Amino acid sequence: QKGFMWFGTRNGLNRYDGVGFKVYEFVYGDSTTLSGNFINALVEDSVGNLWVGTLDAGLNMYDREKDIFIRYQPKAGDRDALSDNWISELYRDSNNNLWIGTEKEGLDLLEPGSKKFKHFKKDPLSNSTLSNNHIRVIFEDAKANLWVGTYGGGLDLFYRKENRFVHHRHDPDDERTIS
């Protein structure tokens, strides 16, 4: 939106206007800048906010009006905060929910207008939770099913109404399973 192209790199966030680039970077001591320069994921929400996931520095929301970033990072003892600083994937679904895939702490959900993150993690005592906390990809299909690809756990299908995950893993003895 707004006529810009955005690129995340290992050296910050780049905004291209068709003529040149403006580079946004972390500046030590300035909490209105990016929380880190290694950008892993970008997504725009339904109202035009740009969300920026970083490698080991959390989540940022770009405030276009003020040309600043709002940081979201884990806080000790705060169960409503972001669960992990390492963001591996960002996805906006058809309900405008922001899904945040993390490297070690599973899947987070931020609903529109909320500042509280919901967390979905692997529980070794339950077969209906994530298969692995290392999230690689998030996708919503045409039926609004949420698919979550994990590193080492396979592919998970999230049934939202039931708040449960179904796992799809490779079984070498069953040719109908995922490869």
Side-chain angles (χ1 to χ4, degrees), residues 51-71:
W51 293 86
V52 183
T54 67
L55 174 88
D56 212 25
L59 180 67
N60 301 264
M61 186 197 74
Y62 176 60
D63 183 327
R64 292 178 194 264
E65 299 289 320
K66 296 178 183 175
D67 197 35
I68 63 169
F69 292 87
I70 298 166
R71 298 176 180 178

Side-chain angles (χ1 to χ4, degrees), residues 93-95 139-147 157-158 160:
D93 71 15
S94 59
N95 293 318
F139 179 76
E140 183 181 47
D141 67 24
K143 295 180 180 177
N145 295 312
L146 194 72
W147 295 85
L157 173 57
F158 182 51
R160 298 177 204 213

Side-chain angles (χ1 to χ4, degrees), residues 9 11 18 20-21 34 60 79 81 89 91 94-96 104 134 143 158 162 167 174:
T9 71
N11 297 306
F21 288 91
L34 279 171
N60 301 264
R79 300 178 80 188
E89 173 73 325
Y91 188 82
S94 59
N95 293 318
N96 296 314
K104 298 174 274 194
H134 185 159
K143 295 180 180 177
F158 182 51
E162 300 166 22
H167 312 301
D174 186 349

Side-chain angles (χ1 to χ4, degrees), residues 28 45 59-60 67 82 98 101 104 125 144 146 155 157 173:
Y28 183 79
D45 67 21
L59 180 67
N60 301 264
D67 197 35
L82 185 69
L98 179 64
K104 298 174 274 194
L125 302 177
L146 194 72
L155 181 65
L157 173 57
D173 297 326

Side-chain angles (χ1 to χ4, degrees), residues 92-149:
R92 179 177 59 102
D93 71 15
S94 59
N95 293 318
N96 296 314
N97 293 310
L98 179 64
W99 293 91
I100 303 110
T102 72
E103 182 76 8
K104 298 174 274 194
E105 297 297 327
L107 185 66
D108 284 358
L109 167 63
L110 186 62
E111 295 173 328
S114 178
K115 299 228 186 262
K116 296 181 178 182
F117 292 84
K118 292 182 182 177
H119 311 291
F120 300 89
K121 290 184 168 190
K122 175 184 173 77
D123 178 350
L125 302 177
S126 173
N127 288 332
S128 63
T129 63
L130 277 172
S131 61
N132 191 294
N133 285 329
H134 185 159
I135 308 302
R136 300 301 295 158
V137 66
I138 305 165
F139 179 76
E140 183 181 47
D141 67 24
K143 295 180 180 177
N145 295 312
L146 194 72
W147 295 85
V148 181

Side-chain angles (χ1 to χ4, degrees), residues 20-36:
F21 288 91
K22 178 174 182 179
V23 180
Y24 295 90
E25 296 176 298
F26 168 76
V27 175
Y28 183 79
D30 185 350
S31 64
T32 65
T33 64
L34 279 171
S35 59

